[in-house]
Amino acid sequence: MSRFDEIVDELYGLTPDLFVKRRNELAKEVKGEGESALAKDISHLRRPTQAAWAINQWVRANPDDSDQVTALAADLSAAQRRSAAATMRELSRRRQDLINSSTDGVVRTASSLGVRLSDSAVREVATTLRAAIADADTLDALRRGRLVTSAEYSGFGPAGVFVVPDPPAEPARHVEPDATDRTDEDTEVRRELESRIAQAEEDERAARDGLGVASSAVDEASAEVDELVARARELREQLSRCEDSLRFARQRLSTAEQSRSESKVALRDAVAEANKLRAALAEL
């Protein structure tokens, strides 16, 4: 495992509130060792959302459970390629059961780590698990415990349960004269549907890209806010220490001024006494 992989594993094992501070510490440490390129890669790592963090911890703690997600994704993909409608229906039922049980497992894992997931985070966990079953990239990130944000899938792959029916058995019957016309109509309808599906998939890809850009902007802004909050906290602590030092310095100044005033009086009295003694001596 490379050093970058080790650092990534460490960071995505932390709770989100500790992520930015530790990431910046590691980037600074690595840069100080002369590895500027690695430091840059580290600084670009994004803080995971609560739902993504919870799934990452579940995968780390329950690898066998996450393997079931991988296995079901493979079965669904194979069934879809074969256009096996009956198998797809059975796998779809299994998918919902697996998503429900896995979501419960994620919630329990987070709870064992002292984090109670919000209702919205629980919903994001479920949608991300559904997306992982349908999308290879999301599944890979999930298996490695490196999810950054929640994912959704609404396309026509396994997650959309787009089922191509098994071809019906042809009964022995007399072909009506208009069968050819109906076949032509079916073909035209199929072409129209295929065209609309292609356009819908293109729209989905564009929307997904837009969502990715927006999510990145949110994460970057959130990280910047966290850094500024941490910096403000440090500055407030410094200000508090400076104010304490100033208060003590003023106390010392007041004491010193009082001592100086007393010394002036003592000096004046001493000079007067000395002058009196000199005058007495002169009269002798």
Side-chain angles (χ1 to χ4, degrees):
M1 181 182 291
S2 68
R3 187 176 185 189
F4 178 74
D5 287 328
E6 291 177 352
I7 290 173
V8 169
D9 281 344
E10 176 189 346
L11 287 174
Y12 286 99
L14 300 173
T15 52
D17 60 309
L18 300 177
F19 183 91
V20 173
K21 181 179 180 181
R22 182 56 178 158
R23 180 197 64 191
N24 294 344
E25 289 175 350
L26 288 169
K28 184 177 181 180
E29 176 184 322
V30 169
K31 186 174 183 180
E33 295 172 359
E35 298 187 63
S36 299
L38 177 58
K40 185 176 181 180
D41 290 338
I42 294 170
S43 65
H44 286 167
L45 293 172
R46 294 162 55 193
R47 183 184 66 173
T49 63
Q50 186 185 65
W53 168 82
I55 295 175
N56 291 340
Q57 309 321 304
W58 171 72
V59 170
R60 293 163 186 252
N62 304 276
D64 291 342
D65 291 346
S66 61
D67 285 345
Q68 293 183 37
V69 176
T70 302
L72 181 59
D75 290 344
L76 276 165
S77 180
Q80 188 181 35
R81 287 195 299 271
R82 296 194 305 270
S83 299
T87 303
M88 284 289 293
R89 284 192 291 271
E90 173 59 27
L91 291 174
S92 295
R93 286 191 290 270
R94 280 177 48 194
R95 178 186 61 188
Q96 190 56 52
D97 291 341
L98 180 59
I99 289 173
N100 291 340
S101 62
S102 297
T103 299
D104 290 342
V106 172
V107 172
R108 286 194 301 270
T109 299
S111 179
S112 71
L113 297 173
V115 177
R116 182 182 181 280
L117 297 183
S118 63
D119 292 342
S120 61
V122 174
R123 287 193 294 271
E124 289 176 10
V125 167
T127 59
T128 301
L129 290 168
R130 180 180 293 273
I133 293 173
D135 179 73
D137 291 337
T138 305
L139 179 62
D140 181 62
L142 180 145
R143 291 177 58 194
R144 298 167 71 186
R146 297 183 180 181
L147 285 171
V148 173
T149 186
S150 58
E152 293 185 10
Y153 190 87
S154 58
F156 298 94
V161 199
F162 177 66
V163 180
V164 180
D166 291 325
E170 282 289 334
R173 61 182 178 82
H174 176 70
V175 178
E176 298 294 335
D178 62 347
T180 300
D181 292 338
R182 288 200 301 270
T183 300
D184 290 341
E185 291 177 1
D186 291 345
T187 300
E188 184 62 29
V189 170
R190 181 179 294 277
R191 287 175 180 170
E192 174 65 19
L193 288 174
E194 289 174 346
S195 175
R196 292 171 64 183
I197 288 172
Q199 181 59 52
E201 289 177 335
E202 180 61 30
D203 292 343
E204 178 198 351
R205 282 191 292 271
R208 191 180 298 279
D209 291 341
L211 176 61
V213 171
S215 297
S216 296
V218 168
D219 289 338
E220 291 175 4
S222 179
E224 183 179 2
V225 168
D226 287 341
E227 292 171 6
L228 290 173
V229 167
R231 180 57 179 159
R233 182 168 56 249
E234 293 175 1
L235 291 173
R236 282 194 294 269
E237 291 173 354
Q238 292 178 12
L239 176 60
S240 178
R241 289 194 295 271
C242 286
E243 289 176 338
D244 289 341
S245 297
L246 177 60
R247 185 169 59 255
F248 294 143
R250 283 175 172 165
Q251 290 174 354
R252 290 195 299 272
L253 174 60
S254 178
T255 301
E257 288 177 337
Q258 179 64 30
S259 178
R260 184 178 65 178
S261 296
E262 292 173 354
S263 296
K264 285 181 177 179
V265 172
L267 174 60
R268 186 174 62 249
D269 291 345
V271 169
E273 181 63 23
N275 289 336
K276 185 195 302 183
L277 295 173
R278 289 192 190 96
L281 179 61
E283 292 175 356
L284 293 178

